[in-house]
Amino acid sequence: MGDQGDRPLHAGGHEFQRARAGVTGPHRIFEAPWGGIYATYGDGHGFPERVLGRLGETFNVSTSYLKPYACCRGSHSAVDAVMKLIAERDLQPANIRSITVTAGETAINMLNVDPIETVFDAQFSLPYAISVALENRSVGLEQFDPPRIAEPRIQEIFAKISMVLDESIQLEDGPRLDFELIDGEKITLLAGNPTDAKGSEENPMTHAEVVAKARALLRPYGEETTAKLIDAVENLDSSPSIDNLIAALSATTYATKIET
């Protein structure tokens, strides 16, 4: 969730209220000859059977994910590997001579932004994500906004990291990370598929981790508003209506207006 992250929730809640009040919309948004999706985007042709195929059997929501780290998802499996190494070895930046990240063409083009001048630049730099992970043991939004690349300790680690192209590696393979330590030891990490990184269905975040991320992102709205919104979401299944959720979301909008 970013600066505009609550807008989809607002929109969904308001549309629910409109539907409950009896407001309806067009019934032929796909096949309508004027303005329909088929006519507008498919030259009049559509494949509704693909939409209905395996309806009730395949749930695409399972392919979505939460992002534990505030950078491009393509970096996440590599960051997972680094964070695991830190936890297992208490690896310190001073003990590292070099890190070589070997990756495919897509990852090299997408995750090797340099120089880093903006939040966006930092989020699309795997060397930067690895640097802040090693220095701060954290890869949250506070490490990217604003970028910390000007800090000497981050610069020192960043300078030890190089990206190397291997065209045989596909994006779904994930990069290989080769560490050379000061004492001569070498460590190789295979990051694996970024799609399966922490936050996916295969490797979900814990409930406590999700709540902690929500609190961190909602911090600008204040503790009271944050607590109400989290409570409304936590109890949504057992609530007779979404009124508490709408009220909590409205409070975030009000807080934003006061701030601006």
Side-chain angles (χ1 to χ4, degrees), residues 146-168:
R148 303 179 59 183
I149 192 64
E151 297 180 16
R153 292 174 65 89
I154 300 295
Q155 284 186 345
E156 183 179 353
I157 305 170
F158 188 82
K160 297 179 180 181
I161 304 173
S162 58
M163 297 276 286
V164 176
L165 173 64
D166 181 341
E167 293 183 349
S168 69

Side-chain angles (χ1 to χ4, degrees), residues 1-3 68-70 119 123 138-146 216-217:
M1 185 189 300
D3 293 339
Y69 316 122
V119 175
Q123 291 176 319
S138 170
V139 195
L141 185 59
E142 70 279 3
Q143 307 298 333
F144 294 83
D145 186 13
L217 295 177

Side-chain angles (χ1 to χ4, degrees), residues 42-61:
D43 196 27
H45 304 289
F47 305 93
E49 68 278 3
R50 295 184 183 178
V51 176
L52 300 176
R54 302 192 68 186
L55 183 66
E57 300 175 16
T58 301
F59 300 94
N60 285 334
V61 68

